[in-house]
Amino acid sequence: MAAPAPAPPATADLVATARASARFPTVIVHTAPKNKTYVRLRTSLWVEGFKDVQTQPITFGAQKVQLTAKPSSVTWDLGETKDLVCDGAGSKDGKTCHYAYKRSSASQPGGSYKITATIWWDVTWTCEGAECDSPGGSLGRNPVSSAPTPLVVSEIQTNTGQ
Protein backbone atom coordinates (compact mmCIF):
# COMPACT_ATOMS: atom_id res chain seq x y z
CA MET A 1 0.00 0.00 0.00
CA ALA A 2 1.37 3.39 -1.00
CA ALA A 3 1.89 6.10 1.59
CA PRO A 4 -0.59 8.96 1.37
CA ALA A 5 0.58 12.12 -0.39
CA PRO A 6 1.90 14.78 1.96
CA ALA A 7 -0.46 17.65 2.75
CA PRO A 8 0.23 20.84 0.83
CA PRO A 9 2.10 23.49 2.83
CA ALA A 10 0.07 26.16 4.52
CA THR A 11 -0.19 29.34 2.48
CA ALA A 12 1.25 31.22 5.49
CA ASP A 13 4.44 29.13 5.19
CA LEU A 14 4.82 30.07 1.52
CA VAL A 15 4.19 33.73 2.41
CA ALA A 16 6.94 33.52 5.05
CA THR A 17 9.31 32.04 2.47
CA ALA A 18 8.45 34.81 0.00
CA ARG A 19 8.98 37.45 2.72
CA ALA A 20 12.39 36.01 3.55
CA SER A 21 13.38 36.22 -0.14
CA ALA A 22 12.22 39.83 -0.61
CA ARG A 23 15.07 42.20 -1.42
CA PHE A 24 14.43 45.88 -0.88
CA PRO A 25 16.51 48.53 -2.68
CA THR A 26 19.39 50.13 -0.84
CA VAL A 27 18.29 53.52 0.49
CA ILE A 28 20.71 56.25 -0.60
CA VAL A 29 20.41 59.75 0.87
CA HIS A 30 20.87 62.94 -1.17
CA THR A 31 20.83 66.59 -0.16
CA ALA A 32 21.04 69.85 -2.03
CA PRO A 33 23.32 71.60 -1.34
CA LYS A 34 25.37 68.40 -1.46
CA ASN A 35 27.11 67.22 1.75
CA LYS A 36 27.08 70.70 3.31
CA THR A 37 24.37 73.22 4.08
CA TYR A 38 23.86 76.31 6.20
CA VAL A 39 21.70 77.32 9.14
CA ARG A 40 18.29 78.63 7.96
CA LEU A 41 18.93 77.58 4.35
CA ARG A 42 16.28 75.28 2.87
CA THR A 43 18.00 71.96 2.26
CA SER A 44 16.39 69.63 -0.29
CA LEU A 45 16.12 65.98 0.70
CA TRP A 46 15.56 62.93 -1.48
CA VAL A 47 16.35 59.22 -1.65
CA GLU A 48 17.19 56.61 -4.23
CA GLY A 49 15.44 53.28 -3.82
CA PHE A 50 11.84 54.55 -3.61
CA LYS A 51 10.31 52.04 -6.02
CA ASP A 52 7.92 49.10 -5.97
CA VAL A 53 9.36 45.69 -5.11
CA GLN A 54 7.86 42.39 -6.22
CA THR A 55 9.21 38.96 -5.32
CA GLN A 56 9.52 36.10 -7.75
CA PRO A 57 6.42 33.88 -7.46
CA ILE A 58 6.80 30.82 -5.24
CA THR A 59 4.82 27.89 -6.60
CA PHE A 60 4.15 24.71 -4.67
CA GLY A 61 1.42 22.33 -5.77
CA ALA A 62 -1.66 24.35 -6.63
CA GLN A 63 -0.46 27.52 -4.85
CA LYS A 64 1.41 30.48 -6.32
CA VAL A 65 2.40 33.15 -3.78
CA GLN A 66 3.88 36.56 -4.56
CA LEU A 67 4.65 39.62 -2.43
CA THR A 68 4.40 43.25 -3.55
CA ALA A 69 5.83 46.16 -1.57
CA LYS A 70 4.93 49.76 -2.41
CA PRO A 71 6.85 52.63 -0.81
CA SER A 72 4.53 54.97 1.07
CA SER A 73 6.71 57.53 2.87
CA VAL A 74 10.19 58.45 4.02
CA THR A 75 11.01 59.27 7.64
CA TRP A 76 14.13 61.41 8.02
CA ASP A 77 16.26 61.49 11.16
CA LEU A 78 18.11 64.75 10.62
CA GLY A 79 20.01 64.75 13.90
CA GLU A 80 18.63 68.05 15.12
CA THR A 81 14.93 67.66 15.74
CA LYS A 82 12.11 65.17 15.77
CA ASP A 83 11.74 63.09 12.64
CA LEU A 84 10.53 64.66 9.41
CA VAL A 85 8.09 62.57 7.35
CA CYS A 86 7.79 63.11 3.60
CA ASP A 87 5.08 61.42 1.54
CA GLY A 88 7.36 60.63 -1.40
CA ALA A 89 10.99 60.17 -2.31
CA GLY A 90 11.66 63.92 -2.29
CA SER A 91 13.45 65.78 -5.08
CA LYS A 92 16.51 67.88 -5.78
CA ASP A 93 14.37 71.02 -6.10
CA GLY A 94 13.07 70.51 -2.55
CA LYS A 95 9.42 71.06 -3.46
CA THR A 96 8.24 67.85 -1.81
CA CYS A 97 10.77 67.37 1.00
CA HIS A 98 13.07 69.89 2.65
CA TYR A 99 14.37 71.12 5.99
CA ALA A 100 16.09 74.25 7.33
CA TYR A 101 18.53 73.61 10.19
CA LYS A 102 18.35 75.85 13.24
CA ARG A 103 21.85 75.12 14.59
CA SER A 104 25.23 74.37 13.08
CA SER A 105 26.73 70.91 13.35
CA ALA A 106 30.02 72.24 14.81
CA SER A 107 29.35 70.68 18.24
CA GLN A 108 28.39 67.28 16.79
CA PRO A 109 30.84 64.35 16.71
CA GLY A 110 32.98 64.78 13.61
CA GLY A 111 31.45 68.23 13.04
CA SER A 112 28.44 66.87 11.13
CA TYR A 113 24.94 65.57 11.67
CA LYS A 114 24.55 61.88 10.78
CA ILE A 115 21.28 61.79 8.86
CA THR A 116 19.30 58.69 7.92
CA ALA A 117 16.26 58.11 5.77
CA THR A 118 13.85 55.23 6.34
CA ILE A 119 11.57 54.18 3.50
CA TRP A 120 8.33 52.57 4.67
CA TRP A 121 6.90 49.91 2.36
CA ASP A 122 3.32 48.64 2.53
CA VAL A 123 3.73 44.89 1.93
CA THR A 124 0.90 42.74 0.56
CA TRP A 125 0.73 39.18 -0.74
CA THR A 126 -1.45 37.21 -3.10
CA CYS A 127 -2.06 33.50 -3.52
CA GLU A 128 -3.49 31.97 -6.67
CA GLY A 129 -4.57 28.35 -6.96
CA ALA A 130 -6.95 25.72 -5.63
CA GLU A 131 -4.86 24.92 -2.51
CA CYS A 132 -4.59 28.52 -1.23
CA ASP A 133 -5.82 29.01 2.33
CA SER A 134 -6.54 32.67 1.49
CA PRO A 135 -6.35 34.79 -1.68
CA GLY A 136 -4.10 37.41 -0.07
CA GLY A 137 -3.47 39.85 2.72
CA SER A 138 -1.24 42.46 4.24
CA LEU A 139 2.05 42.04 6.05
CA GLY A 140 1.92 45.62 7.28
CA ARG A 141 4.58 48.29 6.94
CA ASN A 142 8.21 47.34 6.46
CA PRO A 143 10.95 49.91 7.24
CA VAL A 144 14.33 49.94 5.48
CA SER A 145 16.88 52.58 6.51
CA SER A 146 19.87 54.17 4.86
CA ALA A 147 23.35 54.16 6.27
CA PRO A 148 24.11 57.27 8.36
CA THR A 149 25.18 60.04 5.99
CA PRO A 150 27.25 62.97 7.30
CA LEU A 151 25.91 66.46 6.63
CA VAL A 152 27.91 69.53 7.69
CA VAL A 153 25.74 72.48 8.70
CA SER A 154 27.66 75.76 8.92
CA GLU A 155 26.74 79.30 9.82
CA ILE A 156 27.14 82.25 7.49
CA GLN A 157 28.57 85.27 9.27
CA THR A 158 27.74 88.71 8.01
CA ASN A 159 29.54 91.97 8.59
CA THR A 160 27.33 95.03 8.39
CA GLY A 161 30.30 97.38 8.59
CA GLN A 162 29.16 98.92 11.88
Side-chain angles (χ1 to χ4, degrees):
M1 184 165 158
T11 302
D13 292 338
L14 294 178
V15 170
T17 300
R19 173 61 191 95
S21 73
R23 298 290 171 248
F24 292 90
T26 301
V27 181
I28 300 172
V29 168
H30 294 283
T31 62
K34 186 177 181 178
N35 303 327
K36 183 176 182 173
T37 191
Y38 297 93
V39 172
R40 296 189 182 165
L41 176 70
R42 186 168 100 167
T43 303
S44 301
L45 304 167
W46 74 98
V47 293
E48 288 179 40
F50 196 88
K51 59 184 177 182
D52 291 359
V53 173
Q54 195 167 46
T55 63
Q56 291 295 320
I58 295 176
T59 302
F60 192 94
Q63 296 184 80
K64 181 172 89 171
V65 171
Q66 188 166 31
L67 265 61
T68 301
K70 296 183 178 294
S72 60
S73 64
V74 178
T75 301
W76 291 86
D77 179 346
L78 298 166
E80 181 181 66
T81 186
K82 64 179 182 160
D83 292 342
L84 171 70
V85 178
C86 297
D87 289 333
S91 60
K92 189 172 186 173
D93 64 14
K95 289 182 180 177
T96 59
C97 190
H98 60 270
Y99 182 74
Y101 279 87
K102 295 167 185 61
R103 291 183 290 281
S104 85
S105 61
S107 64
Q108 298 296 311
S112 65
Y113 290 108
K114 307 306 183 262
I115 65 175
T116 58
T118 300
I119 297 178
W120 290 88
W121 274 274
D122 294 322
V123 182
T124 58
W125 61 273
T126 58
C127 185
E128 297 174 2
E131 294 176 348
C132 293
D133 300 330
S134 173
S138 173
L139 295 178
R141 298 182 79 208
N142 187 81
V144 178
S145 297
S146 69
T149 302
L151 180 64
V152 174
V153 179
S154 297
E155 292 181 292
I156 298 174
Q157 302 295 323
T158 60
N159 184 346
T160 61
Q162 296 179 359

